[in-house]
Amino acid sequence: MTSVSRRRFGLLALSAPFALLMSNSARANLVETLLTRAQLPRHDDELWVLVEDERAVLTVYRGNTLVERFSPISLGRAGAKPERLQGGNVTPMGEFRVNRFNNESDWHIFIGLDYPTPAHARMALESGLYTERDYEDYFAYYRRHGYPPQQTVLGGFIGIHGLGGADPDVHASYHWTQGCVAVTNEQIERLSELIEIGTRVVIR
């Protein structure tokens, strides 16, 4: 796996959404605004991941070319939504980056995402979930640690993981997670071979 420094990753994660953050048209729902462009590859050779709630499918693309597709997948028990609250069992929609791999997870392999993103933080501020102080603290934490805070009203610890010891039959029939994206153990092994730190993941 290719890795990037914490500083470089932080700059990458923080800089991408800023052009939209100040747009009046984006303030109504920054995540949905970002998603209108997120499904376009950044360049022809970009390897990226698309997670689709309604189809229960995870697809890996190289540019616009399909590399591999995993189905069915499971999301949060409450489905996928642009805004997520801690404990709400919602999978956050948006554009994310892979920021960690845990090969010793109870879920076989856990691929972490940089949720909550700056766009989610801005939405929380606009909706009143974050105070101005919360918003400032979010960015201060991100700059200091290189990843977003995980213990706020928006929750955290979102990623893509395997089943571990979970029931495959339940996985095949229902959305069952607390907000993560789940695939089978065999699929998470394959996915971890394909993607790396910094890979873009779109959840819609």
Side-chain angles (χ1 to χ4, degrees):
M1 288 290 172
T2 303
S3 62
V4 296
S5 70
R6 187 167 63 186
R7 172 178 165 75
R8 184 180 170 203
F9 178 77
L11 291 172
L12 174 70
L14 288 171
S15 62
F18 280 148
L20 286 173
L21 291 184
M22 302 311 295
S23 166
N24 290 332
S25 63
R27 286 182 181 172
N29 192 323
L30 283 173
V31 170
E32 289 182 356
T33 301
L34 286 168
L35 283 174
T36 61
R37 299 179 57 228
Q39 295 167 62
L40 300 174
R42 296 296 178 257
H43 52 80
D44 290 343
D45 197 44
E46 182 194 21
L47 188 78
W48 62 287
V49 175
L50 176 63
V51 176
E52 298 176 273
D53 174 32
E54 289 187 4
R55 298 177 61 205
V57 171
L58 183 154
T59 308
V60 181
Y61 288 96
R62 173 77 68 183
N64 288 314
T65 303
L66 188 151
V67 174
E68 198 142 349
R69 177 166 285 155
F70 305 120
S71 178
I73 63 171
S74 294
L75 280 74
R77 290 192 289 272
K81 300 176 184 176
E83 197 163 61
R84 177 184 193 270
L85 297 179
Q86 188 174 37
N89 295 321
V90 167
T91 298
M93 297 170 68
E95 183 177 32
F96 308 94
R97 296 278 178 171
V98 172
N99 66 359
R100 63 197 184 279
F101 285 78
N102 179 0
N103 294 314
E104 299 179 358
S105 168
D106 290 341
W107 302 109
H108 192 55
I109 297 172
F110 184 91
I111 302 172
L113 303 178
D114 63 341
Y115 173 83
T117 68
H120 292 96
R122 183 69 186 188
M123 280 181 58
L125 176 66
E126 295 290 340
S127 67
L129 290 172
Y130 269 11
T131 64
E132 288 283 354
R133 179 60 183 270
D134 293 331
Y135 190 62
E136 292 171 3
D137 287 348
Y138 168 91
F139 284 100
Y141 186 100
Y142 211 146
R143 286 191 294 269
R144 186 165 61 250
H145 296 280
Y147 55 87
Q150 302 295 284
Q151 301 283 359
T152 76
V153 67
L154 301 181
F157 306 104
I158 296 297
I160 307 169
H161 61 67
L163 298 183
D167 188 335
D169 292 332
V170 171
H171 173 73
S173 304
Y174 306 101
H175 284 330
W176 58 269
T177 79
Q178 294 180 347
C180 290
V181 177
V183 297
T184 68
N185 291 337
E186 294 76 18
Q187 289 169 341
I188 198 68
E189 289 176 5
R190 175 58 179 154
L191 184 62
S192 67
E193 293 173 352
L194 293 171
I195 67 176
E196 59 187 17
I197 298 294
T199 297
R200 196 166 58 93
V201 176
V202 177
I203 301 177
R204 68 166 193 185

